[in-house]
Amino acid sequence: MSILAITGGQRLSGEIRASGAKNAVLPILAATLLSDQTCTIENVPHLHDVTTMLQLLGQMGASLTVDEKQTIDIDPATITHPKAPYELVKTMRASILVLGPLLARCGHAEVSLPGGCAIGSRPVDLHLKGLEAMGADIEVDNGYIKARAQRLHGAHIFLDKVTVTGTENLLMAATLAEGQTTIENAAMEPEVVDLAHFLQAMGAEIEGIGSSSLTITGKPELRGCRYRVMPDRIEIGTFLVAAAITGGSIRINGSCNEVLEAIIIKLAEAGATIETGGQNEDAWIQLDMQGRRPQAVDIVTAPYPGFPTDMQAQFCALNAVANGVSVITENLFENRFMHLNELARMGADISIEGNRAIIKGRDTLKGAPVTATDLRASASLVLAGLAAEGQTRVFDVHYIDRGYECIEEKLSHLGATIQRQATAEQA
Ligand code: UD1
């Protein structure tokens, strides 16, 4: 096990490049299972969750070639075991994303039921209901979802709740179903859009991309293709908050500015000057705080285009040292306030009422040993450490490696004092 040791007080400055998006690459890797031809995926970030997804594909029999330029070739022609075992699913809930593609292509699939996790119960009932509407026969037995269908058929599906991976699972399954499928109240997250574009590159017919109503006309088969994964808007947002919380000035190259609006608006409200420019791979975003202390900003999380729940914890850290009082309302996940107790250990003034947190900004936080409880919580503790006086040691940083590529290298490059250290058991 390792920890991140951060000595706060450095104003971040300089330039970094955004990595590929975790939440786009995971469904895209799962979607390669829909064809028996090779897909080449570019801009794949080095993340634990990506390794887990590749292990999953490898165990099923897919051949994988990974090159140094973050490009991966996946040949799923040789799939022999359409099964996602408990051992892998328990380390990554997004493993559920293989269910739709496996069922559609192989006619049967077995995926361990994901359990609860640190940020709440997170059921998958809507994934299963949607697949049943498409003709799947599903039973849950010994902790496994066992699904069968000769060939899925089109269906009219209305999702009771906006679910990102639920929409993605059904979208992928529908591309090989017989006839037309409509998914209403579909998630509109940019990562769902990226997946839909990848599926189109494989030959899928999808209308309504980017809207809450997707119509898919199933094809007998899809082909292999080459595709570049979109930039990670949550990684970009996290680094922008890192600059804002330290009064710094940074530029991020390879950005995706058109999908950052909710985050940009809040950073501007906090007092940052933000500029954007360029297009596609040359797009950039620049934030300048001119040494100022951030102003407190209220946050209400909502499905896209609302403020992303995956940026809530980072803005809690910002508000903990901001000028003024803020109210944070978490609408997507129960229990997604685990970082607040740790921030309080660093001196943050926070009270929680149900799904709302009231944060009174302090002039400063004090470095302390803290423990990460999930991916975005761990990012918020690193950010708080950058702003705190003295040293902060963040334990259980394996969470951060699930979703941030080379976080300490990128932060060091921007002038932060941050080091990864082995804990006593390992040293
Ligand atoms: C995805 C993202 C995660 C992000 C979340 C919300 C990936 C790999 N993960 O997670 O980073 O925080 O979207 O933007 O893309 N729900 C049900 N039944 C279901 C499915 C979901 O009740 O069958 C509920 C969940 O409990 C939650 C809400 O719907 O309250 C939204 O969850 P969902 O969008 O499904 O999150 P994930 O897809 O797991």
Side-chain angles (χ1 to χ4, degrees):
M1 293 295 235
S2 54
I3 61 168
L4 285 176
I6 303 141
T7 305
Q10 314 295 325
R11 218 171 254 182
L12 298 195
S13 73
E15 284 185 30
I16 50 166
R17 188 157 190 92
S19 296
K22 170 180 94 70
N23 286 356
V25 74
L26 295 176
I28 286 172
L29 289 173
T32 63
L33 292 168
L34 289 163
S35 170
D36 60 5
Q37 295 178 11
T38 300
C39 285
T40 302
I41 314 298
E42 297 174 10
N43 202 28
V44 177
H46 276 294
L47 300 173
H48 266 197
D49 278 8
V50 169
T51 309
T52 306
M53 184 58 87
L54 293 176
Q55 260 179 294
L56 204 50
L57 300 182
Q59 276 197 8
M60 291 177 198
S63 319
L64 310 166
T65 318
V66 182
D67 88 1
E68 285 165 10
K69 290 194 198 124
Q70 307 197 309
T71 297
I72 301 185
D73 288 331
I74 298 139
D75 175 4
T78 46
I79 294 287
T80 45
H81 302 89
K83 177 168 177 171
Y86 174 71
E87 292 70 20
L88 287 178
V89 179
K90 81 175 164 66
T91 67
M92 184 183 70
R93 292 182 43 85
S95 310
I96 189 75
L97 285 165
V98 299
L99 179 63
L102 282 178
L103 181 61
R105 169 147 166 246
C106 306
H108 62 111
E110 250 184 73
V111 177
S112 170
L113 201 57
C117 70
I119 62 173
S121 61
R122 297 181 83 172
V124 291
D125 55 318
L126 300 173
H127 303 230
L128 305 189
K129 224 170 121 184
L131 291 172
E132 277 174 338
M134 294 167 78
D137 187 7
I138 297 181
E139 57 168 343
V140 176
D141 186 25
N142 291 329
Y144 276 81
I145 302 163
K146 296 181 179 170
R148 289 196 166 269
Q150 279 290 3
R151 184 171 176 203
L152 293 171
H153 58 69
H156 193 104
I157 298 166
F158 183 90
L159 293 170
D160 294 337
K161 265 191 180 176
V162 177
T163 157
V164 175
T165 49
T167 301
E168 291 168 342
N169 237 335
L170 300 175
L171 169 62
M172 291 186 280
T175 59
L176 289 182
E178 175 137 39
Q180 206 171 63
T181 301
T182 308
I183 307 172
E184 307 280 9
N185 201 27
M188 299 188 285
E189 265 65 7
E191 294 77 15
V192 178
V193 172
D194 209 34
L195 169 67
H197 287 154
F198 171 66
L199 293 168
Q200 280 185 321
M202 293 177 86
E205 198 179 320
I206 307 167
E207 281 170 49
I209 295 175
S211 78
S212 62
S213 174
L214 295 168
T215 302
I216 306 106
T217 306
K219 301 276 178 191
E221 56 187 28
L222 297 182
R223 57 176 180 263
C225 69
R226 193 177 184 96
Y227 192 81
R228 185 176 174 84
V229 175
M230 69 176 286
D232 196 315
R233 66 192 167 108
I234 304 301
E235 186 207 26
I236 294 168
T238 302
F239 277 92
L240 292 176
V241 175
I245 207 171
T246 61
S249 168
I250 67 163
R251 175 178 162 121
I252 304 176
N253 297 315
S255 183
C256 47
N257 301 326
E258 61 292 348
V259 298
L260 288 171
E261 203 173 350
I263 298 169
I264 291 175
I265 287 172
K266 286 295 163 186
L267 286 167
E269 216 178 296
T273 304
I274 293 178
E275 283 179 64
T276 57
Q279 284 200 327
N280 304 323
E281 282 173 52
D282 293 327
W284 53 266
I285 184 164
Q286 206 161 288
L287 176 144
D288 190 355
M289 205 64 188
Q290 289 159 346
R292 288 192 299 264
R293 180 182 177 194
Q295 291 296 325
V297 288
D298 292 340
I299 298 289
V300 179
T301 65
Y304 188 83
F307 187 90
T309 174
D310 285 352
M311 283 300 299
Q312 179 257 101
Q314 298 87 319
F315 271 79
C316 287
L318 183 89
N319 281 324
V321 293
N323 182 23
V325 179
S326 58
V327 179
I328 311 284
T329 310
E330 173 54 58
N331 286 323
L332 270 81
F333 293 113
E334 59 192 86
N335 229 358
R336 202 172 200 179
F337 277 153
M338 311 272 280
H339 44 287
L340 298 182
N341 288 334
E342 298 301 295
L343 289 175
R345 299 187 61 251
M346 298 174 73
D349 183 345
I350 301 173
S351 53
I352 303 177
E353 293 169 7
N355 69 335
R356 291 186 340 147
I358 294 109
I359 305 181
K360 292 186 187 143
R362 292 259 199 220
D363 288 343
T364 182
L365 297 178
K366 295 259 193 300
V370 286
T371 299
T373 46
D374 68 58
L375 168 56
R376 306 304 168 187
S378 56
S380 78
L381 299 176
V382 170
L383 297 181
L386 294 173
E389 281 175 2
Q391 197 186 59
T392 297
R393 287 181 303 145
V394 183
F395 286 76
D396 284 357
V397 291
H398 57 93
Y399 285 111
I400 216 161
D401 299 325
R402 294 186 50 184
Y404 290 92
E405 182 175 54
C406 306
I407 189 161
E408 68 266 34
E409 284 88 343
K410 285 187 177 182
L411 284 171
S412 299
H413 182 73
L414 295 172
T417 308
I418 178 167
Q419 278 173 339
R420 190 173 289 251
Q421 299 173 349
T423 47
E425 314 87 272
Q426 204 186 35

